[in-house]
Amino acid sequence: MHAFNLSSINVSTEFNATRRRRCLSYNNSLDLEYGRRRRVGRGCKDLTRTYGIVACVGGGGCGGGGERLSSSARSFLSRSQAYALLKHQMEVAAKTEDYKEAARIRDSLRSFEEEEPIFRLRRLMKEAVAEERFEDAARYRNKLKEIAPNSLLKCLSDATTLGIRVQVRSVYIEDRSQPLKGQYFFAYRVRITNNSEHPVQLIRRHWIITDANGKTENVLGVGVIGEQPVILPNTSFEYSSACPLSTPAGRMEGDFEMKHVDRVGSQTFNVAIAPFSLSTMGDDSDSF
């Protein structure tokens, strides 16, 4: 367990530096939450953006037991860091109206994307599938798995449990990240759709966050963004949130604990959140 300290708060609140007011609640030293859902949240008015944040905190980021990386994985991690830094530098150049420098970095990014094995193999695999060259597609997939196992995991996940569908889409937030400081922020949007015949209430959340070094953190908390929403049949609940990592790639998965509110004394049940990727390189997944 990480100790809860001021430095932990400072790292996390940089994401919401433009907010005038924040809605803050925490249940333990690993669970820090800001923000509101798409409908107006309780006691928290957002004067700028509707970002929220659910984050594990601590000086070392999402920490747990790590695992030794292979040479190819280390190389991929290094290239991901370089890619994130280039994107950050282009963002800074554009904001300061140094358009000549921004154009130079843009061209460097394009060259990087053309030469980067991950992007190249993704393109080749997609083309092979479209042309029904499935043997080639399998070869490209296996090569991707060899050099960057998590690159096959999409930034979009979709799972249904007992009629409750959970969709998640993640995206890298360039202007809230500081690659030189090892701070990478990933926003994700969650949509929970009740396709069952009974109203349900979201009681608790459980996230498993793993960074590129294999360090894993379990994040537990009551409800989401300070609420325990009741979701009626054939309706959806959506909220946006984010996770900071100390590496340019990672993954998230977990579950929501829910209960049927129309049944007295009903037992709670877990609704799966399928794994999805957190990646500075993104992918071609469509939004939901």
Side-chain angles (χ1 to χ4, degrees):
M1 299 286 285
H2 297 297
F4 187 80
N5 52 54
L6 290 177
S7 63
S8 300
I9 298 179
N10 291 336
V11 169
S12 295
T13 56
E14 284 184 5
F15 177 81
N16 279 322
T18 57
R19 284 178 176 269
R20 300 285 181 84
R21 291 181 61 190
R22 300 179 180 87
C23 179
L24 171 63
S25 65
Y26 55 89
N27 301 300
N28 56 52
S29 62
L30 296 179
D31 190 6
L32 187 63
E33 183 171 315
Y34 299 80
R36 65 183 178 92
R37 57 173 171 165
R38 300 190 74 177
R39 297 190 290 273
V40 177
R42 292 179 292 183
C44 178
K45 183 177 181 181
D46 186 354
L47 300 182
T48 51
R49 300 173 183 254
T50 57
Y51 291 125
I53 183 166
V54 177
C56 50
V57 299
C62 299
E67 58 186 45
R68 188 178 299 275
L69 297 178
S70 66
S71 59
S72 60
R74 288 196 300 270
S75 176
F76 169 67
L77 182 58
S78 177
R79 296 195 308 274
S80 297
Q81 291 168 335
Y83 185 67
L85 182 58
L86 280 173
K87 295 181 77 172
H88 178 72
Q89 290 173 338
M90 185 175 69
E91 181 83 15
V92 171
K95 283 186 176 180
T96 57
E97 298 185 1
D98 188 350
Y99 299 126
K100 183 177 180 179
E101 178 66 7
R104 185 190 68 79
I105 299 173
R106 177 205 60 203
D107 293 340
S108 295
L109 272 170
R110 289 176 178 173
S111 296
F112 184 101
E113 291 171 353
E114 290 175 0
E115 298 173 5
E116 166 55 39
I118 300 299
F119 291 123
R120 182 174 59 83
L121 286 168
R122 282 177 179 171
R123 286 196 301 270
L124 290 173
M125 185 170 67
K126 187 174 182 179
E127 291 170 1
V129 171
E131 297 169 5
E132 298 184 358
R133 292 184 289 108
F134 300 120
E135 294 84 0
D136 290 339
R139 181 162 53 86
Y140 298 140
R141 180 201 59 203
N142 292 339
K143 186 62 177 178
L144 269 172
K145 189 174 182 180
E146 176 186 336
I147 64 177
N150 285 334
S151 66
L152 293 175
L153 187 63
K154 295 290 187 180
C155 294
L156 178 71
S157 77
D158 191 336
T160 298
T161 307
L162 297 177
I164 310 302
R165 184 182 185 185
V166 178
Q167 299 165 276
V168 188
R169 179 70 165 96
S170 70
V171 63
Y172 176 54
I173 311 172
E174 298 170 22
D175 61 350
R176 302 301 184 194
S177 299
Q178 299 186 59
L180 287 175
K181 295 182 179 180
Q183 297 174 8
Y184 304 88
F185 282 82
F186 299 91
Y188 58 91
R189 185 161 63 97
V190 179
R191 176 187 292 165
I192 306 168
T193 303
N194 184 358
N195 292 321
S196 75
E197 298 178 354
H198 306 279
V200 297
Q201 183 174 22
L202 195 161
I203 306 300
R204 294 181 182 85
R205 67 186 181 278
H206 172 212
W207 288 106
I208 304 171
I209 305 169
T210 306
D211 70 14
N213 293 322
K215 295 180 180 178
T216 298
E217 197 72 77
N218 283 273
V219 179
L220 305 170
V222 175
V224 291
I225 59 171
E227 300 185 46
Q228 293 179 303
V230 172
I231 309 172
L232 300 177
N234 302 313
T235 65
S236 296
F237 172 85
E238 292 187 30
Y239 72 96
S240 295
S241 193
C243 177
L245 286 183
S246 59
T247 60
R251 59 182 284 159
M252 291 180 67
E253 59 194 298
D255 57 79
F256 294 123
E257 182 180 352
M258 297 190 175
K259 71 175 182 180
H260 292 112
V261 296
D262 61 342
R263 299 176 179 175
V264 177
S266 64
Q267 297 292 316
T268 62
F269 59 97
N270 292 331
V271 174
I273 307 169
F276 59 94
S277 175
L278 305 172
S279 174
T280 57
M281 293 187 178
D283 61 23
D284 56 359
S285 297
D286 295 326
S287 184
F288 54 77

